[in-house]
Amino acid sequence: MNVSLKNIDATKGIVKLEIVKADYAEKVEKSLRSFRQKANVPGFRKGMVPMGMVKKMYGKHVLVEEINKLVSENLYNYIRENNLNILGEPLPNETEQKEINFDTQEEFEFCFDVALAPEIKLELSKNDKVPYYQVNIDDDMIGKQVEAYQANFGSYDEVDDVEEKDLIKGTVAELENGSPKEGGIVVEDAVLMPMYIKDEAEKAKFLGAKKNTVVVFNPNKAYEGAEAEIASFLKVEKEAVAGITGDFSFEIKEVTRHKNAELNQELFDKVFGEGVVTSEEEFKNKIREALAEQFTPQSDFKFLTDTRDILVKKAGELAFAEDLLKRWLLVANEKNTKEKIDEEYPQIVEDLKYHLIKENLVKENGLKVEDADIENFAKRVAKAQFAQYGMLSVPEDVLANYAKDILKNKQTLQNIIDRAVEEKLAGWLKEQVELDVKEVSADEFNKLFEE
């Protein structure tokens, strides 16, 4: 078999595959023998059908199948072995492809259009200045985090009277003329928190109420007619809420109050692990480190975003085979239309330029992502997820197992690989350019992503 590339211009070429009988004859014969062994033809025992009949019945189908396999295998082998950096996928040529007749031909020629990625050359230096935003972890932020941990690891105590943030449990019953309504709504183990009652007058009925007493209130007024809230509280369908406008009794059987954890060694151990920190100062410093670590990936992402314009500018004008790319985009996604592609093409090309620049920098500078990098990144993802729930002292083996589960999902795995590559690229770029470090508050930092 002969495979060759004819360059049309710097942006595209035609890969031609010339197939002769010797390339496929043996494969076709072997496949037909296999068909003969399996064929069930009336009048013949299995495996005893004459080869001539097998060829007549299956010959063309087998020929087409084997040639398609040869074409696909050798096309992609040629692209890989010759390091052709193609965009999208090879497409059947529409001008040089000769008509094929599998009934009469023994030699075949296949032509495929390929869009070629442009050559990219760019240099960075310390003359290139890029802003790098670092979040200032101030005392107020640390204080809020301390309070959050105290709340997360706090306790619930039973008390005798009701305050606004307490949780009240009891029995709710619909009233009629001040007495329980016959056949009316009754909810055992109803739950209510005064702080979520919207009407101040109705809320006031509960504040200061004692355990084992009865409060008469109006749910419709309390929640200002909010169907979802009333339906959930009274365990009824939303459609029934409009007809429920009367008073209800609430027999208070239990009052529970949340109490924040004390700022002591017990809390330190629960947050960071036993004995990791032993004082309030160490505790706050550890929180500062954890918060800084959480913001670093976002700082790097913003840095890469700000570096994009410099990289694109230094790469200069990059030429693309517009006609081929649009053809590929049309066939690659059945939801695409010519009009949609024409409209979105300018943005597609801009994104493609940046993707190729990043790809080039990663390749040219040996920024490889190894299995260990992927595993470590997955562990960090797992650690961050646990941290959202206040779990900062997760054992290493738990993190490792959770990371393995994360990586079982192919889409998640690819996402982590991409993020690990970008992390390495950001680290390399920070060493090549001059960083204009800017300290900002968390609010200022978040607003940067809204622009």
Side-chain angles (χ1 to χ4, degrees):
M1 178 185 294
N2 181 44
V3 187
S4 60
L5 170 68
K6 181 173 78 172
N7 287 96
I8 305 301
D9 55 38
T11 67
K12 60 187 174 184
I14 298 175
V15 177
K16 183 182 291 185
L17 297 93
E18 297 170 295
I19 300 174
V20 297
K21 189 173 183 179
D23 295 322
Y24 62 81
E26 186 178 337
K27 295 178 186 292
V28 170
E29 192 68 24
K30 182 180 178 181
S31 187
L32 285 171
R33 287 198 299 269
S34 177
F35 266 93
R36 185 188 182 205
Q37 291 171 357
K38 300 173 184 176
N40 286 313
V41 179
F44 297 94
R45 284 183 296 162
K46 193 173 182 180
M48 300 303 291
V49 182
M51 181 57 81
M53 184 178 289
V54 172
K55 287 183 178 180
K56 188 174 181 180
M57 294 172 66
Y58 304 109
K60 184 176 179 180
H61 168 78
V62 170
L63 175 64
V64 172
E65 189 176 70
E66 291 300 333
I67 286 180
N68 281 338
K69 287 180 186 176
L70 272 175
V71 170
S72 179
E73 182 181 326
N74 285 276
L75 174 61
Y76 286 99
N77 281 347
Y78 181 84
I79 290 170
R80 184 171 58 254
E81 290 167 4
N82 290 274
N83 295 316
L84 294 184
N85 191 4
I86 71 167
L87 304 175
E89 296 288 334
L91 297 171
N93 177 267
E94 296 177 331
T95 56
E96 297 194 17
Q97 177 65 58
K98 296 175 183 177
E99 191 175 340
I100 292 174
N101 189 324
F102 288 101
D103 292 319
T104 60
Q105 288 178 233
E106 291 187 340
E107 296 184 358
F108 304 91
E109 183 179 285
F110 294 88
C111 298
F112 292 90
D113 293 322
V114 288
L116 303 173
E119 186 178 354
I120 297 172
K121 290 183 179 179
L122 58 83
E123 292 183 3
L124 294 166
S125 71
K126 293 295 183 180
N127 292 324
D128 300 308
K129 199 171 186 180
V130 184
Y132 188 83
Y133 296 93
Q134 288 183 335
V135 175
N136 176 32
I137 313 298
D138 57 23
D139 291 341
D140 182 57
M141 190 184 298
I142 293 172
K144 288 179 180 177
Q145 191 61 58
V146 170
E147 289 176 7
Y149 288 137
Q150 287 182 290
N152 288 343
F153 292 99
S155 59
Y156 287 90
D157 300 329
E158 283 200 33
V159 293
D160 292 326
D161 56 344
V162 179
E163 292 183 1
E164 188 175 24
K165 294 182 180 180
D166 291 344
L167 182 71
I168 311 170
K169 291 183 182 180
T171 301
V172 170
E174 189 175 7
L175 302 178
E176 187 175 58
N177 299 322
S179 301
K181 182 178 179 180
E182 186 176 347
I185 298 169
V186 176
V187 182
E188 302 286 350
D189 296 322
V191 176
L192 177 148
M193 291 183 75
M195 67 179 292
Y196 293 119
I197 293 178
K198 298 174 182 178
D199 184 88
E200 292 299 325
E202 295 297 315
K203 181 191 293 187
K205 294 178 180 179
F206 287 92
L207 301 182
K210 302 292 183 180
K211 182 179 175 181
N212 297 323
T213 61
V214 176
V215 173
V216 175
F217 79 117
N218 188 306
N220 187 273
K221 290 180 182 178
Y223 296 105
E224 296 180 347
E227 291 183 351
E229 293 174 60
I230 297 170
S232 175
F233 175 64
L234 295 178
K235 304 291 189 295
V236 297
E237 298 296 326
K238 285 175 66 175
E239 292 74 20
V241 169
I244 303 172
T245 57
D247 287 342
F248 282 70
S249 63
F250 193 123
E251 183 184 357
I252 301 173
K253 295 182 178 180
E254 183 181 307
V255 182
T256 307
R257 184 171 301 158
H258 180 267
K259 180 183 178 183
N260 280 353
E262 296 291 330
L263 191 58
N264 56 23
Q265 190 62 47
E266 184 180 355
L267 177 64
F268 304 159
D269 291 346
K270 285 180 178 178
V271 175
F272 289 111
E274 191 172 347
V276 174
V277 298
T278 57
S279 68
E280 183 178 330
E281 183 181 0
E282 287 182 7
F283 183 61
K284 291 181 177 179
N285 285 337
K286 198 72 175 173
I287 289 174
R288 188 187 301 275
E289 291 174 14
L291 290 173
E293 185 179 331
Q294 289 175 29
F295 279 110
T296 297
Q298 297 174 60
S299 293
D300 284 352
F301 177 78
K302 177 61 179 164
F303 167 72
L304 279 175
T305 302
D306 291 335
T307 310
R308 174 172 175 157
D309 290 340
I310 294 174
L311 296 175
V312 170
K313 185 176 180 180
K314 283 182 174 287
E317 288 297 321
L318 301 178
F320 295 94
E322 181 176 334
D323 56 336
L324 274 185
L325 285 179
K326 286 185 175 181
R327 268 180 64 200
W328 175 71
L329 289 168
L330 195 60
V331 300
N333 187 341
E334 61 182 17
K335 294 182 180 179
N336 277 337
T337 63
K338 184 179 181 302
E339 293 72 24
K340 183 181 179 184
I341 291 170
D342 286 340
E343 181 184 346
E344 297 177 354
Y345 184 75
Q347 185 58 51
I348 290 171
V349 168
E350 286 303 307
D351 292 340
L352 178 58
K353 284 180 184 177
Y354 183 52
H355 171 76
L356 292 173
I357 289 168
K358 289 196 298 182
E359 202 174 57
N360 177 263
L361 288 174
V362 168
K363 181 180 177 182
E364 291 296 317
N365 296 285
L367 305 178
K368 295 180 181 179
V369 171
E370 309 291 349
D371 287 345
D373 298 318
I374 296 169
E375 290 171 10
N376 287 333
F377 200 99
K379 282 184 187 177
R380 282 159 48 200
V381 170
K383 186 177 180 180
Q385 290 180 0
F386 282 117
Q388 290 178 348
Y389 300 99
M391 301 168 66
L392 298 183
S393 58
V394 181
E396 189 65 23
D397 60 328
V398 174
L399 282 178
N401 288 330
Y402 194 81
K404 284 180 182 177
D405 286 338
I406 288 174
L407 296 175
K408 287 177 183 177
N409 183 291
K410 287 184 179 180
Q411 188 174 345
T412 305
L413 170 61
Q414 188 57 55
N415 179 257
I416 285 178
I417 291 172
D418 292 341
R419 289 169 63 188
V421 169
E422 288 208 333
E423 183 178 68
K424 285 213 168 189
L425 178 60
W428 180 83
L429 284 169
K430 283 190 280 187
E431 294 176 356
Q432 311 307 311
V433 301
E434 179 70 23
L435 294 182
D436 181 15
V437 179
K438 299 176 183 287
E439 276 208 353
V440 294
S441 68
D443 287 341
E444 289 170 333
F445 186 71
N446 290 330
K447 285 178 182 178
L448 293 173
F449 294 89
E450 297 173 4
E451 297 174 358

